Amino acid sequence: MTMRLTSSTWNKMRNMVVAQNDNDIAMMFRERNKEEVAHLSDEQLHAAIHEAREAAFACGIQNQNLRMRFIMLGVYRLPRFWMDPTIAGILNASTGTPDIRFGDVCAMFRISADRADKPMGVWWS
């Protein structure tokens, strides 16, 4: 007997997995980045994580580590950075790959942090 799942069932299953992943990330942020997320309620934190995750996917970022960096930046370092017109232009350019374009954005953030004498603002280098 073959079991067939409807698209509605697949969507529900996907949403459950995404919600669990968002919850896991929220718990990690509460544990490791207490000060940076203390101002957010649990509901706000989950919403910010979900929004950043969806933005990373919309940008086409494939590398899991880069998606996580995108979420971390978008939730507590530079909230909604992808909405800045200059950054959006880089992320949506027709050159390179989405991962490379996000790498370019991260390089720009690194240079800005160095110029502001805040090199600890970028943890990935």
Side-chain angles (χ1 to χ4, degrees):
M1 177 177 203
T2 303
M3 186 167 118
R4 296 185 194 266
L5 298 175
T6 66
S7 61
S8 174
T9 302
W10 278 111
N11 287 337
K12 288 177 186 176
M13 291 169 58
R14 178 187 178 277
N15 290 342
M16 286 174 43
V17 170
V18 167
Q20 182 59 52
N21 288 341
D22 289 350
N23 187 57
D24 291 346
I25 293 170
M27 288 174 40
M28 180 185 68
F29 285 177
R30 290 275 187 229
E31 183 179 311
R32 297 182 186 172
N33 306 91
K34 292 175 189 168
E35 298 84 23
E36 294 171 303
V37 297
H39 67 284
L40 298 171
S41 69
D42 287 342
E43 185 177 288
Q44 290 170 324
L45 180 57
H46 281 88
I49 290 167
H50 185 77
E51 181 181 23
R53 176 195 301 279
E54 292 298 316
F57 277 111
C59 289
I61 297 170
Q62 298 294 313
N63 181 283
Q64 185 176 2
N65 292 331
L66 291 179
R67 279 197 310 261
M68 189 62 191
R69 183 187 305 169
F70 190 105
I71 292 168
M72 293 170 86
L73 284 168
V75 171
Y76 60 79
R77 285 287 162 90
L78 300 165
R80 294 179 155 173
F81 69 89
W82 62 87
M83 298 181 90
D84 176 272
T86 301
I87 294 171
I90 296 168
L91 291 172
N92 296 307
S94 60
T95 59
T97 67
D99 288 358
I100 290 171
R101 291 191 298 268
F102 180 56
D104 293 343
V105 168
C106 291
M108 186 177 73
F109 291 156
R110 174 138 193 60
I111 291 167
S112 296
D114 286 344
R115 287 182 180 164
D117 199 27
K118 296 183 179 182
M120 296 307 291
V122 291
W123 66 90
W124 58 84
S125 55

